[in-house]
């Protein structure tokens, strides 16, 4: 179990200003998804990134929920992986792009996996499809035996 002091320090670290690239834009951040503690760190890091990107509270919640579902899928079904947070910009919009990669067995039938109620575990089967509905753009690259990569983007203003 993580002592509360260490947890507060971790939360403070991820809510500080994000890493900045040489051109002044925020650099991508990569987080491991290998433990329950990593899932908590991912949620806080994504929340902080949505705030810095100017998302309203409803969109912050949508993106954090999607990130949580995707990271949990990578951890539970994919044997662990990473979540990368990027900060795309187009026209007058800032966005947040989440790339979740796992090392798991891949998804044999993606259409079925995206169907509400389908699950291979103990969950309700709304995670992958729900994450897709919460984001503006959503792509899945998967094949049996080579893991899964999900790229999901949400724009701050629609």
């Amino acid at each position: 179990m993580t002592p509360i002091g260490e947890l507060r320090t971790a939360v403070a670290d991820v809510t500080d200003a994000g890493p900045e690239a040489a051109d002044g834009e925020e650099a991508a951040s990569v987080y491991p998804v290998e433990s329950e503690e990593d899932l908590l760190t991912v949620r806080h890091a994504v929340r902080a990134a949505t705030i810095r990107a100017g998302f309203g509270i409803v969109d912050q919640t949508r993106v954090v929920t999607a990130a949580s579902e995707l990271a949990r899928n990578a951890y539970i079904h994919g044997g662990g992986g990473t979540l990368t947070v990027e900060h795309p910009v187009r026209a007058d919009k800032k966005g947040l792009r989440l790339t979740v990669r796992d090392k798991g067995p891949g998804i044999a039938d993606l259409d079925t996996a995206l169907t509400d109620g389908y699950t291979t575990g103990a969950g309700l089967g709304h995670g992958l499809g729900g994450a897709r509905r919460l984001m503006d753009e959503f792509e899945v690259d998967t094949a049996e035996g080579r893991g899964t990569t999900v790229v999901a983007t949400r724009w701050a203003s629609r």
Side-chain angles (χ1 to χ4, degrees), residues 13-61:
D13 288 346
V14 297
T15 55
D16 288 343
E20 196 168 290
D23 60 4
E25 292 190 21
E26 195 168 341
S29 300
V30 181
Y31 301 90
V33 180
E34 305 288 340
S35 67
E36 291 284 339
E37 289 79 16
D38 290 343
L39 298 177
L40 181 61
T41 298
V42 162
R43 288 181 60 88
H44 289 292
V46 170
R47 170 78 67 195
T50 60
I51 292 168
R52 289 192 306 274
F55 284 77
I57 188 69
V58 173
D59 281 341
Q60 290 174 33
T61 302

Side-chain angles (χ1 to χ4, degrees), residues 63-78:
V63 175
V64 170
T65 300
S68 182
E69 292 293 340
L70 296 173
R72 182 163 292 284
N73 280 348
Y75 173 60
I76 300 292
H77 302 291

Side-chain angles (χ1 to χ4, degrees), residues 1-154:
M1 178 169 246
T2 304
I4 194 72
E6 290 178 30
L7 186 57
R8 286 186 179 134
T9 300
V11 170
D13 288 346
V14 297
T15 55
D16 288 343
E20 196 168 290
D23 60 4
E25 292 190 21
E26 195 168 341
S29 300
V30 181
Y31 301 90
V33 180
E34 305 288 340
S35 67
E36 291 284 339
E37 289 79 16
D38 290 343
L39 298 177
L40 181 61
T41 298
V42 162
R43 288 181 60 88
H44 289 292
V46 170
R47 170 78 67 195
T50 60
I51 292 168
R52 289 192 306 274
F55 284 77
I57 188 69
V58 173
D59 281 341
Q60 290 174 33
T61 302
R62 287 179 176 138
V63 175
V64 170
T65 300
S68 182
E69 292 293 340
L70 296 173
R72 182 163 292 284
N73 280 348
Y75 173 60
I76 300 292
H77 302 291
T82 60
L83 181 142
T84 302
V85 179
E86 298 174 279
H87 310 272
V89 176
R90 72 174 187 199
D92 61 341
K93 295 180 180 181
K94 286 185 173 181
L96 210 62
R97 180 170 296 127
L98 310 173
T99 301
V100 180
R101 291 184 173 88
D102 72 44
K103 305 171 262 189
I107 301 171
D109 183 345
L110 182 58
D111 289 335
T112 299
L114 287 165
T115 303
D116 281 343
Y118 176 80
T119 182
T120 58
L124 298 174
H126 297 289
L128 193 58
R132 179 172 65 172
R133 286 189 298 274
L134 293 170
M135 302 298 280
D136 294 319
E137 300 167 17
F138 194 87
E139 298 174 25
V140 179
D141 180 25
T142 187
E144 287 187 88
R146 69 170 174 87
T148 300
T149 299
V150 178
V151 181
T153 305
R154 182 140 186 114

